[in-house]
Amino acid sequence: MLVSRLLEYVGLEPGRFEMRWISASEGGKVAETVREMTERIRKLGPNRKMRDER
Amino acid sequence: MKQAVEELRRQAAGLLKEERVKCVIGWTQGTDVARAVPFFATSVRQAARLTWTPFCVNNLSKYLLNHRYDNTPLAVVVKGCDSRGINRLVQDRQFVRERVVVLGLPCGGMLDREKVLRVVDPGAALQEVEDRGSEYMLRTDKGEYGFEKREALLSKCLECEHNIPVVSDLMIGPQVPSPAGSGIDRFAGVRELETRDPAVRSTFWDRHFARCLRCYACRNVCPACNCKECSFEQAVPGWQQGACWLSKRNHPGQNYLFHLIRMFHVAGRCIDCGECARVCPVNIPLRELYRKVMKDAEELFAMKTPGTDPEEVPLLSTYRTDDPEEFS
Amino acid sequence: MPRTGVFVCWCGSNIGGVIDCPETAAAASGFPGVAFSTDYKYMCSEPGQNMVIQAIREHRLDRAVVASCSPRLHEETFRKTLVRAGLNPYMLEMANIREHCTWVHGADIQQARIKAVDLVRRAVAKANRLEPLFESEISVTRRCLVIGGGVAGIQAALDVADAGHEVILVEREPTIGGNMVKLDKTFPTLDCSACISTPKMVAAATHPNIKLYTYAEIEKLAGYVGNFEVTIRQKARYVDHEKCTGCGTCWEKCPTRVPSEFDAGIGQRTAIYIPFPQAVPNKPVIDREHCRYFATGKCEICAKLCPTGAVDYGQEDLVLTEKVGAVVAATGFGLFDWSRVYGEYGYGQYPDVVTGMQFERLVNAAGPTGGKLLRPSDGATPRTVVFIKCVGSRDEAKGRRYCSRICCMYTAKHALQVLEKVPGASVFVFYMDVRTAGKGYEEFYQRAVNNGTVYVRGRVSKIYQDGERLVVRGVDTLLGRPVEVDADMVVLATAVEPGSGAAETARILGINTDQDGFFQEAHPKLRPVETHTRGVFLAGACQAPKDIPDTVAQASGAAAKVAGLLSSKWLSTNPMIATVNEALCTGCFLCVPVCSYRALEPKKITERLPGHPPREREVAGVNTGLCQGCGACNVACRAGAIEVRGFTNEQLLAEVDALCQ
Ligand SMILES: Cc1cc2nc3c(=O)[nH]c(=O)nc-3n(C[C@H](O)[C@H](O)[C@H](O)COP(=O)(O)OP(=O)(O)OC[C@H]3O[C@@H](n4cnc5c(N)ncnc54)[C@H](O)[C@@H]3O)c2cc1C
Ligand code: SF4
Ligand code: SF4
């Protein structure tokens, strides 16, 4: 909760960060969450903020 | 404040004379009228140079770390906000509480040096300071100056939470009223930023972080930053291209990560002494960053400002079964 | 530069039927560090493994990536292969391209091919950073502690003792036997419970390898697998068992009468007592709370009468320690206190509304009525008996959400017993479902029905006293109409609960409890008698409601695990555990409370730095016997001082980087 709030505070789009509690036996939920998240991120486009430029 | 200065010197001299401590960490008058600098008094003679003025901004608790692994008995002078740093170090087990004599100073607030220097000649010699409750009187060889606290204090002092130290072995000088304005919202700055448009917020921090020099002054002054070797400096052999796991290059993206990681390392542990923002050479409003987490943590988990209570466990290292959660 | 070999397995058509394995292997040959790559139909087969060994030798490979199934399945296999090829077994990394790829993405072959290559790239990136790890050995104390002397504990103790290891059996009541010896007969065979359990009790007490502590409780468990130290509190019995011969004079003459726990409150016992005549040990204890001497300072009848002078009012609790290598928790179950919540059944105010356990005592030949079925209120023979099942079970609002598993069967048993003891009696059973999964169980239930038990599907909404009779009101949901029965006695099948003190025992042992408060097994299917704390095992109803056959089976299972553990003097430890970089550790000990295995503890080191005198300070130390390598501490350490071997920051970040390419 603190993380997502903070990331939004420093200007990240809401929804770019998400934490879910999924037990090892909830395969369906993993797939579902990943699918949702991928869709969402695809809409938001690449993250230009915290690129790692090593 | 004259009385307090005298008592401070007397007590410090006493501690050194009886050899109860090897060193008293305090402040002494600096190079200009509106500056006090850290001072390490190791003899009775040096104790006479200790001072207490509304320019004693440095949080001296950090200096204890220099002695964390030897057995030197020490005394340190703290204001209310700094005293939380003592609890920080004790909780982090960096220092055994018994090894340090904490001299607490009730504080009427610190003056903003810039504002004072606009009026007073820097070369003037400070003779005496009087705390009149709502204003400070500075007596110098070039005349007397009055400063209305509401106008001239540092902003952190107007939001002061503990003007009387939360921990001390010896309280020095008279009790003084808190400089905090009545009805002041401690988190007004954070709240203000929160209401802004995400895009505005984004550019706000972009601009600030882009200016970061990666000088690590904020880290060096922070009592919560007490690792032996900072994770930003740990060389990892065979690591990718860079030697550290976050490159030291001064680049906006990397700077972002630097600040957020540091933020998380002090989350729930930052005592809000405001030293980071003070020492930042490019004036990045770091306090508003750390206080965001503090505010959320207070709202969500009823966290007290870290360092208030010597028994508490850092927020991110504990849990309660009735903690709120947002998982679905 | 590492010389990594990549071995892509087809797993028959499991993988090979979806993606093109030679293509994946070819792609892998271009990854940094890869010196050799190939594919094969069944990598885990004998020829497959030989191929790996040969490739390692021929191409001087120093590490390997096997892209095949889940490491759960074959990581061990391939580690052994590496050893055979002369490499350190931990120089292996697996890419799971079956469960994580072809099985789930069979519908999208194109994507599956890309993903397989990505997964292999990830594994190669990690493999390039692997370091050899070495198992260390810890010594094992070849003794076992069994907590709880019910049938589970007795069985486990006997099995371990027969395997040749010493056993410490700790029971908190004055006698072993647990709940089973209170029962009259046992389903589904209706053999006498005492006849099959008391010989076992005696066998346990007299076994040369079993050291029995009754009326004792464990207070602390320190140490780790192979090397536990348990602190036992032997409660004061006020009777010197060395001198006592168990003659019985004292308990016959004691003037105090209190409800007997053993008889579920329907019989009485004296203040100096043995719970039942066949108790083991067959020597009394004084119940200090009810003893007249302790209350008033006068009486001392037992002391005066005892022919051997064994009574000793001055005895004190004794605290002692024992060293063991393994622990079996067999603390059993408790029963749901229905009288607190079931207002419609009279909150326990009607004496003739009893529980199943009280019924057991009422029909028991050794019980307060000598085995005659007499109702508690007036001692009359009940002619109409109503049984109500699921009292507190499968009812989240009032009790427990789970099924207690044994009530269906013992209610059928009770119904048969009523019919047998009271010819011509009418027996009604109110039920939600009848569950009879077990060998011979359905037949047993049919026997109850055929002998005349009337099963009414539905709930009882009210019981009230009407003169001498109890009126039971309910609905028959199958016929859809209300029913009312005038009963002489009502028996409630109350829910099985975690035993009293289970949470405390779990805390002492450092094991988890499930959401219902029973002890949590390590894996519901594959590791049912182990816990997440290595060296601590489970047996019997403390893990979940169970009948005797299951209890005994699980107890023998736990005993087999213990015997396996104690079979050798040495135990090798998993090297993939946490390690502390002492130079970085600041000694904040934020990691210590995070570890659920209590593997971290402060340790003193002397640090020598150039230009400084040597100095002593405290840092975190990992107990290699306790650490399970979960990595929780890793995250808690802000200084980055703790890492888990085999999952270092460097390795993990390299994997992430490889995946994000
Ligand atoms: C009314 C009723 C009728 C039943 N009828 C049948 C039947 O006909 N057939 C059948 O197969 N099953 C029957 N059962 C089930 C049977 O009783 C259990 O399966 C069996 O008793 C479980 O054995 P256990 O050893 O796991 O637990 P328990 O019998 O409960 O034994 C646990 C022992 O551990 C001790 N203990 C607990 N905590 C501690 C501690 N902290 N320290 C030391 N000691 C401790 C207890 O005092 C007890 O002696 C019936 C159950 C009930 C309630
Ligand atoms: S958290 Fe890290 S620094 Fe703190 S004691 Fe543990 S290993 Fe040391
Ligand atoms: S890896 Fe897990 S088990 Fe091992 S010390 Fe860290 S927290 Fe404890």
Side-chain angles (χ1 to χ4, degrees):
Chain A
M1 279 194 275
L2 291 173
V3 188
S4 62
R5 267 157 233 237
L6 178 82
L7 290 180
E8 281 172 35
Y9 183 72
V10 297
L12 229 71
E13 301 88 336
R16 215 182 254 288
F17 175 86
E18 177 157 342
M19 231 193 252
R20 285 270 182 103
W21 189 268
I22 307 180
S23 118
S25 58
E26 297 175 308
K29 201 163 155 195
V30 178
E32 180 67 13
T33 310
V34 172
R35 216 168 283 137
E36 266 173 36
M37 186 84 190
T38 325
E39 272 318 302
R40 192 156 359 112
I41 300 289
R42 203 160 273 147
K43 278 200 205 105
L44 288 170
N47 172 14
R48 1 146 251 106
K49 252 186 190 314
M50 280 176 242
R51 244 164 323 159
D52 190 359
E53 319 254 326
R54 276 183 284 210
Chain B
M1 295 174 100
K2 202 164 161 208
Q3 192 197 334
V5 175
E6 277 162 12
E7 193 183 338
L8 173 63
R9 290 178 182 162
R10 203 175 52 244
Q11 294 288 3
L15 287 170
L16 288 164
K17 191 164 170 204
E18 289 163 25
E19 298 199 344
R20 279 195 48 209
V21 301
K22 277 250 156 49
C23 173
V24 178
I25 309 177
W27 304 274
T28 192
Q29 183 62 36
T31 43
D32 67 41
V33 62
R35 192 191 288 282
V37 294
F39 182 67
F40 303 81
T42 51
S43 66
V44 176
R45 203 157 49 85
Q46 287 179 347
R49 287 176 58 193
L50 291 168
T51 193
W52 170 233
T53 66
F55 303 108
C56 296
V57 281
N58 306 56
N59 178 352
L60 303 175
S61 63
K62 174 90 182 191
Y63 289 106
L64 290 177
L65 279 182
N66 295 348
H67 295 275
R68 60 176 143 179
Y69 301 126
D70 56 36
N71 282 321
T72 331
L74 298 169
V76 65
V77 189
V78 293
K79 307 185 289 294
C81 45
D82 311 340
S83 68
R84 293 191 295 256
I86 302 282
N87 278 341
R88 166 86 285 118
L89 294 179
V90 171
Q91 274 166 27
D92 289 351
R93 305 175 48 102
Q94 296 309 304
F95 221 86
V96 186
R97 177 69 185 80
E98 291 70 46
R99 243 184 70 206
V100 53
V101 180
V102 180
L103 305 174
L105 282 163
C107 168
M110 290 290 120
L111 285 171
D112 187 335
R113 174 180 152 75
E114 309 284 328
K115 287 183 186 156
V116 171
L117 288 186
R118 252 177 250 151
V119 190
V120 188
D121 174 5
L126 189 61
Q127 287 165 336
E128 203 193 318
V129 185
E130 200 183 326
D131 186 345
R132 293 191 177 157
S134 64
E135 64 165 357
Y136 273 120
M137 274 305 295
L138 304 191
R139 200 162 301 127
T140 72
D141 58 348
K142 303 226 165 113
E144 283 192 12
Y145 306 85
F147 289 95
E148 195 65 37
K149 285 193 181 172
R150 222 164 352 105
E151 313 272 292
L153 283 193
L154 293 174
S155 61
K156 75 161 186 178
C157 296
L158 292 172
E159 296 158 357
C160 178
E161 211 188 347
H162 306 112
N163 81 309
I164 313 288
V166 292
V167 23
S168 73
D169 297 303
L170 209 65
M171 206 58 93
I172 290 183
Q175 299 274 324
V176 295
S178 166
S182 60
I184 281 230
D185 173 9
R186 280 174 57 222
F187 295 115
V190 177
R191 264 186 253 275
E192 212 270 317
L193 248 178
E194 277 173 353
T195 53
R196 304 260 201 97
D197 196 54
V200 175
R201 235 170 19 221
S202 175
T203 29
F204 175 86
W205 290 112
D206 278 352
R207 288 233 302 279
H208 277 304
F209 290 151
R211 292 186 301 117
C212 172
L213 304 175
R214 298 293 286 281
C215 69
Y216 299 140
C218 48
R219 175 198 74 191
N220 292 352
V221 79
C222 175
C225 268
N226 49 36
C227 284
K228 292 205 63 205
E229 186 179 9
C230 176
S231 31
F232 299 113
E233 310 215 75
Q234 284 169 19
V236 185
W239 199 263
Q240 308 294 306
Q241 292 95 329
C244 291
W245 67 282
L246 176 67
S247 108
K248 289 186 180 177
R249 242 183 79 197
N250 189 346
H251 172 279
Q254 299 284 291
N255 292 354
Y256 239 100
L257 284 173
F258 161 64
H259 282 289
L260 291 191
I261 292 170
R262 187 174 121 72
M263 153 81 259
F264 263 94
H265 282 195
V266 300
R269 302 172 56 251
C270 163
I271 58 157
D272 196 17
C273 62
E275 286 287 88
C276 45
R278 178 179 70 83
V279 299
C280 178
V282 293
N283 289 328
I284 300 179
L286 290 168
R287 247 183 110 222
E288 301 312 315
L289 187 60
Y290 305 138
R291 281 151 53 83
K292 163 69 177 165
V293 173
M294 206 175 285
K295 168 180 160 287
D296 289 346
E298 187 180 301
E299 287 170 3
L300 291 166
F301 306 103
M303 177 187 84
K304 282 187 268 179
T305 304
T308 307
D309 173 1
E311 300 300 321
E312 90 206 339
V313 183
L315 179 77
L316 295 191
S317 308
T318 180
Y319 70 94
R320 268 179 257 130
T321 38
D322 55 353
D323 276 345
E325 51 184 351
E326 278 170 358
F327 299 126
S328 41
Chain C
M1 195 62 189
R3 292 185 61 80
T4 308
V6 176
F7 302 91
V8 183
C9 176
W10 291 53
C11 195
S13 64
N14 276 307
I15 298 172
V18 178
I19 62 166
D20 181 356
C21 293
E23 175 201 76
T24 314
S29 66
F31 297 155
V34 174
F36 174 78
S37 85
T38 187
D39 60 286
Y40 187 69
K41 279 257 183 243
Y42 292 102
M43 206 61 80
C44 58
S45 66
E46 189 60 30
Q49 291 192 43
N50 287 340
M51 195 181 87
V52 174
I53 294 171
Q54 205 182 347
I56 289 175
R57 295 208 174 118
E58 234 164 67
H59 300 271
R60 289 177 293 110
L61 304 176
D62 62 2
R63 60 202 68 209
V65 167
V66 177
S68 59
C69 50
S70 162
R72 283 226 143 190
L73 202 61
H74 277 315
E75 190 165 51
E76 265 318 301
T77 317
F78 290 114
R79 279 193 185 149
K80 286 187 186 132
T81 314
L82 258 59
V83 172
R84 277 165 57 204
L87 294 185
N88 180 285
Y90 294 92
M91 298 303 277
L92 167 78
E93 179 64 21
M94 292 189 73
N96 183 352
I97 56 168
R98 193 178 76 176
E99 282 87 338
H100 284 179
C101 186
T102 55
W103 273 5
V104 284
H105 302 303
D108 192 345
I109 291 180
Q110 208 38 48
Q111 293 290 327
R113 282 162 77 168
I114 299 175
K115 182 166 175 184
V117 175
D118 282 345
L119 291 176
V120 174
R121 189 183 322 106
R122 186 225 104 229
V124 169
K126 177 162 181 202
N128 288 346
R129 287 165 183 79
L130 287 177
E131 278 169 16
L133 301 178
F134 301 93
E135 291 165 6
S136 58
E137 288 197 323
I138 48 175
S139 67
V140 175
T141 310
R142 298 166 84 177
R143 303 170 87 207
C144 173
L145 167 74
V146 176
I147 309 166
V151 60
I154 293 174
Q155 185 66 44
L158 284 172
D159 288 353
V160 174
D162 284 344
H165 306 296
E166 249 182 87
V167 177
I168 317 287
L169 178 56
V170 178
E171 166 60 55
R172 70 174 168 195
E173 300 298 327
T175 176
I176 54 172
N179 281 302
M180 181 177 167
V181 319
K182 300 177 190 166
L183 308 178
D184 179 39
K185 291 183 173 165
T186 54
F187 63 74
T189 47
L190 281 186
D191 43 1
C192 147
S193 183
C195 316
I196 51 177
S197 54
T198 46
K200 266 197 192 297
M201 290 159 59
V202 175
T206 53
H207 199 294
N209 276 344
I210 299 182
K211 194 160 161 191
L212 181 62
Y213 289 99
T214 53
Y215 215 42
E217 270 178 84
I218 55 155
E219 260 183 4
K220 194 174 144 204
L221 185 75
Y224 47 92
V225 59
N227 296 280
F228 293 109
E229 187 178 275
V230 58
T231 309
I232 301 170
R233 173 175 292 268
Q234 170 69 64
K235 293 178 273 187
R237 301 181 172 110
Y238 307 108
V239 175
D240 183 344
H241 277 205
E242 299 284 315
K243 293 188 191 154
C244 173
T245 57
C247 67
T249 319
C250 52
W251 68 77
E252 274 156 23
K253 295 290 173 343
C254 174
T256 310
R257 290 280 180 284
V258 286
S260 150
E261 296 84 6
F262 192 83
D263 283 337
I266 54 171
Q268 289 192 319
R269 64 161 170 86
T270 45
I272 184 166
Y273 72 108
I274 55 169
F276 70 110
Q278 290 77 33
V280 172
N282 207 260
K283 297 179 182 176
V285 299
I286 295 182
D287 166 10
R288 184 182 177 130
E289 203 189 323
H290 293 109
C291 167
R292 208 173 272 190
Y293 172 74
F294 281 110
T296 65
K298 291 204 190 75
C299 181
E300 294 183 67
I301 293 182
C302 48
K304 284 177 206 142
L305 291 179
C306 179
T308 61
V311 176
D312 172 7
Y313 299 114
Q315 211 178 56
E316 279 177 9
D317 286 10
L318 216 63
V319 177
L320 32 93
T321 58
E322 292 276 4
K323 285 198 186 326
V324 293
V327 178
V328 176
T331 51
F333 65 97
L335 289 166
F336 177 71
D337 180 7
W338 68 278
S339 62
R340 272 182 304 114
V341 285
Y342 278 89
E344 62 268 42
Y345 302 165
Y347 287 125
Q349 280 171 26
Y350 311 135
D352 293 332
V353 179
V354 300
T355 66
M357 189 49 99
Q358 289 169 328
F359 182 90
E360 293 282 350
R361 299 307 302 155
L362 279 177
V363 290
N364 196 308
T369 57
K372 291 200 195 71
L373 181 54
L374 306 174
R375 62 182 203 172
S377 62
D378 53 5
T381 305
R383 307 212 56 84
T384 309
V385 182
V386 169
F387 290 90
I388 306 175
K389 296 207 291 192
C390 295
V391 176
S393 305
R394 305 171 69 199
D395 182 353
E396 214 163 339
K398 287 211 155 138
R400 305 287 186 152
R401 38 180 207 111
Y402 54 82
C403 161
S404 292
R405 265 191 76 189
I406 52 173
C407 328
C408 282
M409 288 306 294
Y410 75 63
T411 300
K413 170 181 80 177
H414 292 172
L416 277 169
Q417 284 175 301
V418 175
L419 292 170
E420 177 213 74
K421 295 209 181 244
V422 188
S426 347
V427 178
F428 297 87
V429 177
F430 284 87
Y431 71 103
M432 283 209 267
D433 293 289
V434 178
R435 298 179 168 176
T436 59
K439 189 167 170 178
Y441 286 14
E442 176 65 15
E443 298 85 326
F444 186 79
Y445 158 61
Q446 289 304 340
R447 204 169 128 196
V449 174
N450 293 340
N451 283 16
T453 313
V454 181
Y455 272 77
V456 183
R457 182 173 181 152
R459 281 241 173 223
V460 170
S461 56
K462 188 143 188 72
I463 302 175
Y464 60 91
Q465 189 97 37
D466 182 14
E468 296 208 329
R469 322 210 74 194
L470 289 161
V471 182
V472 180
R473 225 185 243 162
V475 210
D476 185 331
T477 51
L478 290 183
L479 298 177
R481 61 171 192 222
V483 246
E484 202 173 282
V485 184
D486 276 355
D488 298 314
M489 188 163 127
V490 178
V491 183
L492 308 176
T494 49
V496 170
E497 283 191 328
S500 67
E504 176 63 8
T505 307
R507 197 190 54 75
I508 292 174
L509 299 183
I511 59 177
N512 298 333
T513 51
D514 62 24
Q515 45 191 340
D516 301 316
F518 291 101
F519 298 158
Q520 178 76 54
E521 65 280 7
H523 188 284
K525 285 152 247 174
L526 302 178
R527 296 169 67 198
V529 303
E530 286 153 89
T531 64
H532 283 296
T533 302
R534 224 174 140 201
V536 178
F537 304 93
L538 303 177
C542 60
Q543 180 253 340
K546 261 187 209 75
D547 54 22
I548 297 164
D550 286 3
T551 297
V552 171
Q554 196 188 17
S556 291
K561 286 280 170 195
V562 171
L565 178 66
L566 301 184
S567 65
S568 147
K569 273 181 101 159
W570 299 98
L571 189 69
S572 65
T573 58
N574 174 7
M576 291 172 116
I577 56 171
T579 136
V580 177
N581 180 335
E582 289 170 357
L584 289 181
C585 174
T586 63
C588 68
F589 301 138
L590 282 182
C591 50
V592 172
V594 165
C595 178
S596 11
Y597 305 98
R598 302 184 218 150
L600 292 161
E601 51 205 25
K603 99 175 195 209
K604 270 217 162 49
I605 57 163
T606 310
E607 209 170 31
R608 276 165 228 282
L609 292 182
H612 288 277
R615 60 196 190 188
E616 243 190 25
R617 65 183 191 100
E618 284 198 322
V619 296
V622 181
N623 182 317
T624 51
L626 286 174
C627 175
Q628 308 281 318
C630 72
C633 53
N634 215 324
V635 193
C637 180
R638 162 179 46 85
I642 299 198
E643 285 196 311
V644 175
R645 288 201 187 98
F647 296 93
T648 62
N649 288 341
E650 184 194 354
Q651 291 163 351
L652 294 182
L653 284 175
E655 289 179 71
V656 175
D657 279 343
L659 278 176
C660 294
Q661 259 172 35

